Amino acid sequence: MRSLLVLALCALLEYAGAACYSGSDPVPCYSCAGSCTFDNGCHCSNDFTGCVPSSNSECPMGDNTCCGNLVGRYWDSSLHCCTETPFCYPGCSGDEVCGVVNNAAVCVCDRNTYQGIKISDLRASVDCDGGLMTISISRCQLQQLGYDASTLHFNGDSAECKASYGESRNNIRVQSIQLRAVSGLCGNVVTKTDSKIYYSNTLFITQKPGPIITRNPIVFSFTCEYSLDMQIGIMLSPQS
């Protein structure tokens, strides 16, 4: 029984070692007094040829820079070596997996997360923070439905009307776009009561590029509410 355990342990160690790069071109960094830096990657100290690290001390970066001399290899900080398994830095959100795109390890949408989703299931979150309105929507949900998250836009031709960006919120990858609470900007419509001021607008999202347009744009209407006192305070605040 003990011999079986030893054999099983040896097999596991062999399998684990097989995942690590063990070639000689490029050479291990320790064999040529090499080091890894953010600016230059991993190189030998004598002739500046590329090398491959084999420990965390040789690879201080928390990303895949240390394996840049090897195509299709990625740094595993737990094994202290370059492996064939993609590792994404920073880590992926809950609705993503780490995949390979153009030989780079990147977070991509997990297709299993939103199977069966319908357009009616989409929800946009709206933050009305001071004089800035931020609208966010799941990138992977949009992708699953065949829409292009990078096309978030309001009405208007200025950069402010279509400058969206990706981020992670509550462990979900979202595409966000911000708009200042200014009357008429990118289609902002203002209404007032005795104590409140409301900024309303419409967000548009178009489908992924293709030979035939088969889907109408997704449209989200939203409103941010502010007190008149707060709005006056924003208008009177000093500008840097």
Side-chain angles (χ1 to χ4, degrees), residues 53-199:
S54 59
S55 71
N56 279 341
S57 61
E58 295 170 354
C59 181
M61 287 85 86
D63 56 26
N64 288 308
T65 303
C66 290
C67 299
N69 292 314
L70 292 166
V71 176
R73 296 279 182 158
Y74 313 93
W75 179 250
D76 186 325
S77 58
S78 61
L79 295 177
H80 313 313
C81 67
C82 298
T83 75
E84 294 177 344
T85 302
F87 283 85
C88 289
Y89 302 93
C92 301
S93 298
D95 55 353
E96 297 175 310
V97 294
C98 188
V100 178
V101 178
N102 296 327
N103 291 321
V106 296
C107 294
V108 296
C109 293
D110 183 354
R111 294 183 178 181
N112 298 320
T113 303
Y114 298 114
Q115 282 189 347
I117 189 176
K118 303 182 292 294
I119 290 181
S120 58
D121 297 324
L122 284 175
R123 295 291 183 272
S125 65
V126 182
D127 293 334
C128 305
D129 184 11
L132 193 64
M133 303 180 289
T134 304
I135 302 88
S136 304
I137 188 167
S138 165
R139 285 179 58 94
C140 292
Q141 286 184 351
L142 290 174
Q143 179 174 305
Q144 187 76 16
L145 291 166
Y147 285 83
D148 186 351
S150 66
T151 65
L152 268 67
H153 66 280
F154 306 107
N155 281 321
D157 295 327
S158 69
E160 188 169 3
C161 302
K162 49 190 176 184
S164 67
Y165 56 93
E167 60 178 337
S168 182
R169 287 193 172 193
N170 300 318
N171 202 30
I172 297 296
R173 184 66 57 185
V174 299
Q175 190 78 3
S176 299
I177 187 168
Q178 295 182 326
L179 185 62
R180 290 178 293 132
V182 175
S183 177
L185 179 63
C186 301
N188 278 339
V189 176
V190 179
T191 56
K192 295 180 181 179
T193 65
D194 291 340
S195 60
K196 300 286 186 180
I197 184 168
Y198 302 89
Y199 289 87

